[in-house]
Amino acid sequence: METEASLSSRFAAISPHLNERQRRLWAASEARDLGRGGIVLVSRATGVSRPTIYKGLEELDGAPIEEGRVRAPGAGRKPLSVTDPGLAAALDELLDPDSRGDPESPLRWTCKSTGQLALALTRGGHRVSAESVGKLLHEAGYSLQANVKVREGSQHPDRDAQFRYLNEQAREFRESGLPVVSVDAKKKELVGDFKNGGREWRPKGQPVPVRVHDFIDPELGKAIPYGVLDIERNVGWVNVGQDHDTASFAVESLRRWWHGDGGAAYPAAKQLLISCDSGGSNGFRSRLWKVELGRFADETGLEVTVCHLPPGTSKWNKIEHRLFAHISMNWRGRPLVSHEVVVNLIAATTTKQGLRVHAERDLGQYPLHTSVSDRELAEVGVRPHAFHGEWNYTIAPRRLLVPPTL
């Protein structure tokens, strides 16, 4: 006599190798062989419902269905597109209420998760689950996507021409063996036991504890990294300040680079090309930036040429992706507990392409709102280039500007 245990054991062994229809027919065949009470016994042993077994018995007595099919044509649950023809349109309206749907949509100001969408659709008379909403979204060509930073604000009509001009200037300098640097200030960083984005390898279950709130520590303050990237040599110099990101601080960073690395690398150089953003401490509108560069030119004897990137294109600055991006990756997940830690982490940054970085701390004070008179600016002798002189200009040492006495 067949026992429930033996039936259960046999079904467990064969079930993983059968499809829906084959399981149904196997259960029906066993129930028929057992005779009276067989359907109940097979159902208890296998977990297959009695209506399913009855359906299998009908199929055993009927004609074989088309090869490869699990159900007869027309059998099974109808798709939502058939049972609820208006569902797709209702979902489409919820996804973009501003352009295609009702501006008073309840989801206009909420996260459009599949659960929220399913709830809104059900309230609108379309009974649907969150899982079904997900399937409908994929079928309609939707996917989860983050915002993409591509808009740069208003685009200057000479943007591309300025890039070509800058590249041509850089090519001429590099072919002549003259230094070309990209400069910029990196994002200010809170110093202390604050959370730093990213993850690093640590013993399991032992994350570094940090503060809950990111309120600045008045004793430690912030770290202000200002970088100078020697494009030809792939060498970075980062001056880590703690006061203010001013034009004086920017040029002091450039000065430290020249005396600490640039002058030794280019001992015969009489010219320097600087590529930088249009705004910030090194912006083309900054009068203090030009005056400080004039002082730098006087001290070093260098003729300094500056080419600014067009407005709204700061992320195209080479220092961003060739230096700053690698610094951020190097210290990800590590709290910047002191200025010394910031300096050491920056200095330890390397890449497979051979990037080397020097970093040092700057304890100097750089006051804000330093005014520059028209006379001071005029004494610098800024020489604008013929093409967009506001973006491209040269500052020569003042002793070279004084005409020789006869």
Side-chain angles (χ1 to χ4, degrees):
M1 180 67 179
E2 186 77 61
T3 65
E4 185 176 329
S6 62
L7 265 174
S8 179
S9 176
R10 282 171 34 212
F11 182 74
I14 195 173
S15 179
H17 307 285
L18 305 178
N19 60 33
E20 175 189 335
R21 180 170 182 270
Q22 290 168 340
R23 291 191 193 94
R24 190 166 61 242
L25 292 176
W26 182 89
S29 177
E30 291 290 333
R32 175 174 287 179
D33 289 343
L34 289 172
R36 183 179 176 82
I39 293 176
V40 175
L41 180 60
V42 171
S43 179
R44 283 204 309 261
T46 63
V48 178
S49 67
R50 282 182 285 180
T52 299
I53 297 176
Y54 282 118
K55 179 64 177 176
L57 290 170
E58 293 178 5
E59 291 178 341
L60 287 175
D61 294 332
I65 65 175
E66 181 182 341
E67 184 178 356
R69 295 187 64 91
V70 175
R71 298 171 179 167
R77 182 180 298 175
K78 299 293 186 293
L80 289 171
S81 59
V82 175
T83 59
D84 189 352
L87 176 60
L91 177 59
D92 195 47
E93 290 179 358
L94 287 175
L95 288 169
D96 196 352
D98 288 335
S99 62
R100 293 197 296 267
D102 180 7
E104 300 301 322
S105 166
L107 291 188
R108 185 176 182 183
W109 310 113
T110 65
C111 174
K112 298 173 185 176
S113 65
T114 54
Q116 291 281 2
L117 289 168
L119 181 61
L121 288 168
T122 300
R123 288 173 176 170
H126 305 277
R127 295 183 60 84
V128 64
S129 67
E131 183 180 359
S132 296
V133 168
K135 292 179 180 178
L136 288 171
L137 290 174
H138 283 294
E139 291 172 0
Y142 286 92
S143 63
L144 287 173
Q145 299 181 42
N147 302 146
V148 179
K149 291 184 177 181
V150 294
R151 295 183 178 178
E152 300 170 348
S154 58
Q155 181 173 311
H156 196 282
D158 290 336
R159 187 190 76 158
D160 292 343
Q162 173 62 10
F163 274 116
R164 287 193 295 270
Y165 185 82
L166 192 159
N167 290 335
E168 181 60 24
Q169 291 288 307
R171 184 189 63 79
E172 292 178 1
F173 270 71
R174 294 170 71 179
E175 289 180 352
S176 300
L178 298 171
V180 178
V181 297
S182 173
V183 303
D184 196 12
K186 194 180 185 301
K187 180 178 72 72
K188 298 179 180 68
E189 302 289 347
L190 285 175
V191 179
D193 52 344
F194 300 102
K195 179 178 176 60
N196 196 2
R199 296 181 292 177
E200 66 171 343
W201 290 105
R202 288 189 54 79
K204 188 174 182 179
Q206 298 181 33
V208 177
V210 294
R211 301 188 191 190
V212 174
H213 301 292
D214 293 341
F215 299 131
I216 188 171
D217 187 321
E219 293 184 4
L220 297 175
K222 293 184 178 182
I224 309 171
Y226 192 95
V228 181
L229 175 66
D230 185 327
I231 296 175
E232 181 68 24
R233 296 167 54 231
N234 199 24
V235 175
W237 183 286
V238 181
N239 190 35
V240 182
Q242 61 184 39
D243 191 40
H244 297 106
D245 178 21
T246 67
S248 299
F249 172 63
V251 177
E252 174 60 22
S253 303
L254 192 67
R255 182 180 291 111
R256 292 189 179 208
W257 162 76
W258 179 255
H259 293 307
D261 180 67
Y266 303 95
K270 296 299 181 183
Q271 294 175 277
L272 168 67
L273 175 62
I274 301 174
S275 168
C276 57
D277 297 346
S278 288
S281 57
N282 45 237
F284 72 90
R285 291 188 178 91
S286 173
R287 297 158 68 99
L288 183 60
W289 163 251
K290 295 181 175 70
V291 168
E292 291 287 2
L293 280 180
R295 293 170 183 161
F296 172 74
D298 292 342
E299 296 167 9
T300 60
L302 291 170
E303 187 177 76
V304 180
T305 296
V306 181
C307 290
H308 292 273
L309 275 70
T313 62
S314 61
K315 294 305 177 185
W316 293 69
N317 198 342
K318 288 188 180 296
I319 198 171
E320 290 286 345
H321 50 86
R322 288 184 55 177
L323 177 60
F324 290 164
H326 299 291
I327 292 173
S328 297
M329 287 189 287
N330 188 54
W331 69 26
R332 66 185 184 274
R334 299 189 184 187
L336 307 176
V337 295
S338 68
H339 285 85
E340 288 73 19
V341 168
V342 173
V343 169
N344 290 334
L345 286 172
I346 292 174
T349 302
T350 58
T351 66
K352 293 180 180 178
Q353 289 71 35
L355 173 69
R356 293 181 290 111
V357 184
H358 171 86
E360 61 183 39
R361 187 176 179 185
D362 186 344
L363 298 175
Q365 300 294 312
Y366 302 96
L368 297 171
H369 312 302
T370 302
S371 60
V372 174
S373 67
D374 293 341
R375 180 178 177 180
E376 287 178 294
L377 183 61
E379 288 177 351
V380 174
V382 178
R383 187 170 72 246
H385 294 195
F387 179 76
H388 274 287
E390 76 278 18
W391 295 341
N392 309 292
Y393 47 87
T394 298
I395 300 175
R398 262 171 276 205
R399 62 176 177 269
L400 298 182
L401 297 175
V402 178
T405 57
L406 299 177

